[in-house]
Amino acid sequence: MRPEVLYPLFKPVDTLKGVGPRLKPALERLVGGHVVDLLWHLPAAAVDRRHQCKIAEAEHGALCTLTVRISQHIKPSSPTRPYRILCEDETGTLVLTFFRAHSDYLLKTLPEGELRVVSGTVEHYSGEIQMTHPDHVVKVEDIDSVLKLEPIYPLTQGLSQKVLAKAIHGALAQTSELAEWHDPALMAKHGWSGWHESLLKAHNPQETTDIDMLAPARQRLAYDELLANQLALALVRLGMRKTKGHPTKGDGALRQKVLDALPFTLTGSQLKALGDVISDMESDHRMLRLLQGDVGSGKTVVALLAMLAAIETGAQAVMMAPTEILARQHLKTIEPLAEAAGVKVALLTGRDKGKTREALLENLKSGTIQIAVGTHALFQDDVAFQNLRLAVIDEQHRFGVHQRLELAAKGQAVDVLVMTATPIPRTLMLTAYGDMDVSRLVEKPAGRLPVKTSVMPSGKLGSVAEGISRKLDEGARVYWVCPLVEESEKLDLAAAEDRFKDLKKMFGDRVGLVHGRMKGKDKDAVMAAFKAGTIDILVATTVIEVGVDVPEATVMVIEHAERFGLAQLHQLRGRIGRGHGASSCLLVYQTPLGEVAQKRLKIMRETEDGFVIAEEDLKLRGAGEVLGTRQSGLPQFRMADLEAHKALLTTASDDAKVILNGDADLKTPRGQALRTLLYLFERDAAIKYLRSG
Ligand code: ADP
Ligand code: MG
């Protein structure tokens, strides 16, 4: 149960004074629906209003706070003219101007003859010293509310600084100090204050340096968030570890048959990774290992051999993919090899219905099917296994941690091998998976040639057709990737269809089209035709990003390459350079090219190393976005910045380990405080892993 002290923080934002139905949606959009979400919305900058001056000293363009006497209101002669208010001090006259002003309001806030403090940007304009729409007007006794560093919050449409700041202050008023969850030594080392004090300080900067990501108050809050993340992951992991694993010791016979049937030998990386996996499986711990390898690095074979190790002991294995295309691709790779070893493989997707599905489920339950390959359809309640020992999950970050556990729950102490083709930088790895064991495939299979990548403005697109035609004569197959149009599938499709028509005029029936809106069957048919070579130009939206393996495809054209993120470009390009032929990738961009897009294309030209690309991507885009919006399994941080707070993340990871080593049930006073921390950052799910509530 959530601790009572946190109740006010988890009320809807409109329970705050001054936040009504009009403001609520804007706040929800910007920060979230609960009071606590406002606390995490820290200022992005601060405006220094501490500069007090006399009218004559106020320079053009300067932000000034002035104490002036109101001398005269001059109402506009026509509604399009500004309302003017003359003010003075002993050095001169300041003219306040207001457009479309309400005179009643102005007469009330700036009464003639009285002193007022005004703060805003001063302009020298046609011989006058002016201030248009002052940011603040207060009475002299309230000068301290203006004379300070004013935090500037990131905004959204329908919100103003003032209104947002007021809501945030309303939220801050709901907070009080909480029992300290951090190690006192760590706090002393960094000079951190308590949670409440840090929170107030972060929202009320005293010095411009208080806005800095590395200011103590900000660091402390970032660390709270990171520790909650790491502790939650560590708890889940500990929970999995508590259930003892089955030592899975196969005799190697099936593996040997497949190794004999392979037309190649495994790379050093593959052997090493397989060794890691097998020793995990043979131990009596449960395996939770990530197999990370660039597209085409040969993860599937490693996974297959691991599955065979389970099957050698009479157990079953599953391999789950995020899309149907990818599941089918895996089946195609695995089935012939498994058959060579006499192992029965079946596919289970959402497309199977009625009798077919029933029969499949029956065979899974009886153990007749030894390897099941499929999509999330494998999660469904009625899917049961006779003796599931290993779950391989491909492209993990598209699934939640939750789903990973659900699949693992379909057997007893199921070993889990997660495969990802997205090279995740180390920092992100830690936040997404915690302290998970990792094997990396770093070598490309032998015989692969590097992909030559070039860049070209769209104005020259006409000349590309000629080059393509030559490549086709040489027997190449070509992917033609159409642009993303503003995240709209419909528009994406229109662009792809137009391009398809153009290319068809030139190349006739050799051109095919595949896109996300096609029925699974139709998609498969087009892909099969491309694989078989009956079509040799495949126009595609980004559906080909994942999983398609056509070694004969050696050319890729990517239109509007500037619209794609680095990770996505890398994934797309990974579709070529998979066979023995030399491959080329052409990145076509629309001018003018922005600075970031320019850098991205440069990186793509310079390297094929997925890990380098991922690190660069992290630098260019910031961590939250690196894996794209669709891949949402990754946590988004509100206060922690993975570039600025990199070192803190590592500390949090170690801290979490130390904490659970000494107090696995979070029962000590510090443990209790840490529970509050977990609730504060809504890691409630992790708390379920604690033995006692
Ligand atoms: P990934 O899943 O990592 O993208 P795959 O396992 O699909 O890569 O392998 C890509 C291609 O490389 C497949 O056609 C596979 O048969 C082949 N392959 C895998 N390992 C090797 C190897 N050691 N040598 C040569 N080819 C390999
Ligand atoms: Mg693969």
Side-chain angles (χ1 to χ4, degrees):
M1 286 288 281
R2 176 182 293 150
E4 229 165 286
V5 281
L6 299 184
Y7 285 1
L9 301 183
F10 285 90
K11 288 192 178 151
V13 280
D14 59 351
T15 55
L16 290 171
K17 231 170 72 190
V19 179
R22 211 172 46 83
L23 220 49
K24 193 181 175 200
L27 286 178
E28 279 174 348
R29 215 169 41 239
L30 183 66
V31 300
H34 295 120
V35 172
V36 72
D37 295 314
L38 283 161
L39 304 179
W40 307 151
H41 195 66
L42 299 184
V47 171
D48 195 345
R49 295 197 187 277
R50 292 171 300 185
H51 178 58
Q52 273 201 84
C53 68
K54 296 292 172 197
I55 293 174
E57 301 159 359
E59 285 174 22
H60 179 74
L63 185 81
C64 298
T65 301
L66 307 105
T67 304
V68 295
R69 190 172 296 281
I70 320 300
S71 48
Q72 195 189 352
H73 279 237
I74 305 171
K75 293 194 178 157
S77 52
S78 85
T80 55
R81 312 281 305 162
Y83 190 113
R84 290 158 55 84
I85 301 176
L86 306 187
C87 314
E88 3 231 277
D89 65 10
E90 62 276 22
T91 68
T93 302
L94 172 72
V95 185
L96 304 180
T97 60
F98 296 86
F99 291 87
R100 278 176 285 147
H102 295 286
S103 59
D104 291 354
Y105 174 76
L106 292 177
L107 284 166
K108 214 171 80 193
T109 48
L110 291 154
E112 284 181 9
E114 292 200 16
L115 278 176
R116 284 292 181 272
V117 174
V118 297
S119 185
T121 305
V122 170
E123 288 165 309
H124 293 189
Y125 190 66
S126 50
E128 288 181 347
I129 300 177
Q130 297 191 351
M131 186 184 287
T132 305
H133 294 261
D135 303 325
H136 296 277
V137 176
V138 299
K139 293 184 179 156
V140 177
E141 61 262 36
D142 296 329
I143 190 164
D144 287 345
S145 71
V146 177
L147 267 192
K148 60 172 194 181
L149 272 181
E150 182 180 77
I152 302 296
Y153 292 103
L155 287 179
T156 182
Q157 211 177 6
L159 273 182
S160 70
Q161 278 303 333
K162 263 187 204 162
V163 167
L164 178 59
K166 200 164 159 242
I168 289 173
H169 279 273
L172 288 171
Q174 302 290 317
T175 59
S176 52
E177 193 56 281
L178 299 171
E180 185 57 64
W181 45 73
H182 289 315
D183 175 19
L186 185 78
M187 296 198 32
K189 180 180 157 202
H190 290 280
W192 291 342
S193 324
W195 175 73
H196 191 235
E197 197 183 321
S198 303
L199 192 64
L200 295 181
K201 207 158 176 194
H203 283 283
N204 299 291
Q206 300 301 306
E207 296 302 329
T208 41
T209 48
D210 290 345
I211 292 294
D212 198 292
M213 287 288 189
L214 297 178
R218 288 229 173 190
Q219 274 202 35
R220 143 112 216 189
L221 295 173
Y223 192 71
D224 289 340
E225 188 171 33
L226 292 169
L227 185 63
N229 163 266
Q230 290 300 302
L231 193 58
L233 287 166
L235 277 170
V236 172
R237 184 167 169 71
L238 194 69
M240 291 194 73
R241 280 252 162 115
K242 270 185 210 151
T243 44
K244 250 186 144 203
H246 270 285
T248 302
K249 288 186 187 152
D251 61 5
L254 295 177
R255 276 171 277 171
Q256 195 53 52
K257 279 188 191 158
V258 166
L259 287 172
D260 292 343
L262 284 176
F264 49 76
T265 52
L266 297 184
T267 64
S269 286
Q270 282 172 319
L271 286 170
K272 167 84 174 61
L274 186 63
D276 294 343
V277 171
I278 297 296
S279 68
D280 282 352
M281 289 173 68
E282 289 184 349
S283 83
D284 59 5
H285 285 304
R286 277 181 80 178
M287 172 168 74
L288 184 55
R289 180 172 289 277
L290 186 69
L291 177 59
Q292 204 183 10
D294 228 336
V295 273
S297 59
K299 295 181 293 295
T300 316
V301 187
V302 174
L304 172 63
L305 291 164
M307 292 196 288
L308 291 175
I311 291 159
E312 283 163 10
T313 68
Q316 292 166 293
V318 296
M319 180 185 271
M320 191 173 71
T323 63
E324 193 164 327
I325 288 195
L326 192 52
R328 285 179 187 279
Q329 182 86 48
H330 284 321
L331 184 78
K332 264 184 213 154
T333 314
I334 285 170
E335 202 168 32
L337 292 169
E339 261 167 24
V343 168
K344 182 103 179 67
V345 184
L347 181 75
L348 184 71
T349 71
R351 231 195 274 172
D352 302 309
K353 298 267 148 63
K355 285 247 153 53
T356 340
R357 187 161 191 278
E358 267 168 45
L360 270 169
L361 294 188
E362 195 47 53
N363 288 331
L364 278 175
K365 212 169 159 185
S366 67
T368 322
I369 295 173
Q370 291 155 296
I371 297 180
V373 178
T375 57
H376 57 273
L378 288 167
F379 285 137
Q380 271 144 32
D381 282 342
D382 57 351
V383 180
F385 295 85
Q386 201 236 340
N387 180 12
L388 180 65
R389 192 59 66 74
L390 173 66
V392 178
I393 306 183
D394 195 6
E395 302 284 336
Q396 156 65 29
H397 49 265
R398 294 183 183 219
F399 302 108
V401 172
H402 178 65
Q403 283 168 302
R404 183 203 301 168
L405 296 172
E406 242 178 287
L407 186 63
K410 290 206 177 282
Q412 276 192 341
V414 173
D415 284 324
V416 177
L417 178 66
V418 175
M419 304 200 292
T420 174
T422 310
I424 306 170
R426 228 197 88 71
T427 25
L428 280 187
M429 280 276 310
L430 209 51
T431 63
Y433 301 106
D435 183 31
M436 199 176 192
D437 295 319
V438 181
S439 300
R440 279 184 167 186
L441 299 183
V442 291
E443 295 164 66
K444 275 197 174 196
R448 299 262 175 86
L449 296 168
V451 176
K452 186 175 170 293
T453 300
S454 42
V455 167
M456 171 194 270
S458 59
K460 294 188 186 163
L461 202 56
S463 66
V464 174
E466 213 174 284
I468 296 277
S469 167
R470 206 174 50 241
K471 292 275 188 196
L472 289 176
D473 290 343
E474 292 166 16
R477 257 167 257 171
V478 180
Y479 288 113
W480 192 295
V481 182
C482 286
L484 290 164
V485 186
E486 293 167 9
E487 304 277 310
S488 149
E489 249 186 76
K490 215 163 157 185
L491 293 176
D492 280 359
L493 180 56
E497 278 174 340
D498 286 349
R499 183 59 68 216
F500 174 62
K501 277 185 208 140
D502 291 346
L503 290 169
K504 229 176 147 82
K505 273 185 211 137
M506 284 181 263
F507 299 104
D509 288 341
R510 303 168 77 171
V511 190
L513 172 66
V514 63
H515 57 76
R517 292 214 158 177
M518 277 164 83
K519 287 214 185 79
K521 255 197 301 195
D522 300 338
K523 230 187 286 186
D524 294 347
V526 178
M527 291 308 307
F530 186 59
K531 198 164 167 109
T534 44
I535 54 177
D536 43 25
I537 302 180
L538 184 65
V539 177
T541 55
T542 49
V543 290
I544 59 157
E545 185 187 343
V546 207
V548 176
D549 189 13
V550 181
E552 296 82 3
T554 53
V555 179
M556 177 172 284
V557 178
I558 303 179
E559 283 195 68
H560 276 288
E562 79 282 357
R563 290 188 190 162
F564 295 95
L566 261 182
Q568 211 175 8
L569 287 172
H570 177 66
Q571 289 278 347
L572 284 167
R573 184 173 60 182
R575 299 298 118 209
I576 56 173
R578 293 169 80 92
H580 292 285
S583 295
S584 50
C585 176
L586 183 61
L587 303 174
V588 181
Y589 64 87
Q590 187 79 48
T591 47
L593 199 52
E595 198 182 322
V596 172
Q598 211 169 332
K599 279 194 191 137
R600 270 194 234 130
L601 299 187
K602 182 165 175 280
I603 292 160
M604 286 299 292
R605 236 179 25 217
E606 285 170 356
T607 182
E608 267 191 83
D609 184 326
F611 292 102
V612 172
I613 289 175
E615 295 288 348
E616 292 295 330
D617 203 17
L618 185 63
K619 277 189 214 149
L620 287 181
R621 282 205 291 170
E625 287 179 66
V626 161
L627 295 167
T629 46
R630 287 184 302 143
Q631 296 157 339
S632 55
L634 285 171
Q636 303 270 326
F637 292 109
R638 304 287 301 272
M639 294 176 290
D641 177 299
L642 293 185
E643 265 307 295
H645 301 132
K646 221 174 187 165
L648 289 182
L649 177 63
T650 322
T651 310
S653 166
D654 296 341
D655 204 356
K657 251 180 275 175
V658 172
I659 290 166
L660 293 183
N661 272 339
D663 181 18
D665 299 318
L666 297 183
K667 274 196 168 145
T668 62
R670 185 181 175 204
Q672 295 292 341
L674 283 160
R675 287 178 187 230
T676 305
L677 173 71
L678 289 170
Y679 280 111
L680 191 59
F681 285 96
E682 297 172 72
R683 310 283 177 186
D684 307 25
I687 294 177
K688 294 204 192 97
Y689 283 86
L690 291 166
R691 237 173 282 151
S692 48

